[in-house]
Amino acid sequence: MDTSPAAPAEDAIFAALASPVRREVLRLLREQGPQSVQDLASGFAMARPSFSEHLRVLREAGLVSERRDGRRRLYRLEAVPLVRVRDWLDPYERFWRDRLSALRDLLDDMNDTTNMDGTRDAAALGPTGDQETT
């Protein structure tokens, strides 16, 4: 278990992203820019205190910022913390890219030794009918 100073911040970010409501709030802010609490909440069928709790979680994770504009509170996307998510996911992306590349190579090798009718290419088979290795 990672106990580095970054771990609590990453935990808060992942916890915030775990909720479909909060992911939708982030999407709205990304696509439509800063919005008031009222405008954001209008798209969700939930009580205002419940929605405010979602905004609090996003604020504490650093994914949104809040600014007062008279009596309104405007929320804005803060995408910088998402770099931590990308950095965390990067090794997994490389893992799957390597695996898919190996699968592609295997399938290419199989295609090289198989005829259009599905039979094995005699030139690729050894004298016993087994595939030769190169």
Side-chain angles (χ1 to χ4, degrees), residues 51-114:
F51 188 76
S52 293
E53 178 65 17
H54 286 290
L55 291 175
R56 181 191 63 75
V57 170
L58 289 169
R59 263 193 332 270
E60 289 177 357
L63 293 168
V64 298
S65 60
E66 175 187 32
R67 165 176 81 79
R68 287 239 181 245
D69 181 27
R71 295 177 58 137
R72 297 180 340 151
R73 288 180 296 158
L74 296 175
Y75 280 82
R76 177 179 161 216
L77 174 66
E78 299 295 341
V80 171
L82 294 173
V83 169
R84 290 182 181 205
V85 174
R86 186 197 63 207
D87 290 346
W88 187 86
L89 288 171
D90 189 54
Y92 296 97
E93 180 185 356
R94 282 193 307 267
F95 170 83
W96 283 111
R97 192 175 331 127
D98 292 346
R99 298 287 185 191
L100 291 173
S101 179
L103 177 60
R104 182 191 63 233
D105 293 345
L106 176 66
L107 292 173
D108 286 346
D109 288 346
M110 289 174 65
N111 284 338
D112 289 345
T113 61
T114 304

Side-chain angles (χ1 to χ4, degrees), residues 20-61:
V21 170
R22 294 190 286 265
R23 290 192 307 269
E24 179 63 10
V25 168
L26 294 176
R27 185 192 67 76
L28 290 169
L29 292 173
R30 183 190 75 229
E31 291 179 358
Q32 300 172 7
Q35 295 183 51
S36 70
V37 175
Q38 182 177 353
D39 290 342
L40 284 169
S42 68
F44 297 89
M46 66 177 59
R48 181 63 73 89
S50 297
F51 188 76
S52 293
E53 178 65 17
H54 286 290
L55 291 175
R56 181 191 63 75
V57 170
L58 289 169
R59 263 193 332 270
E60 289 177 357

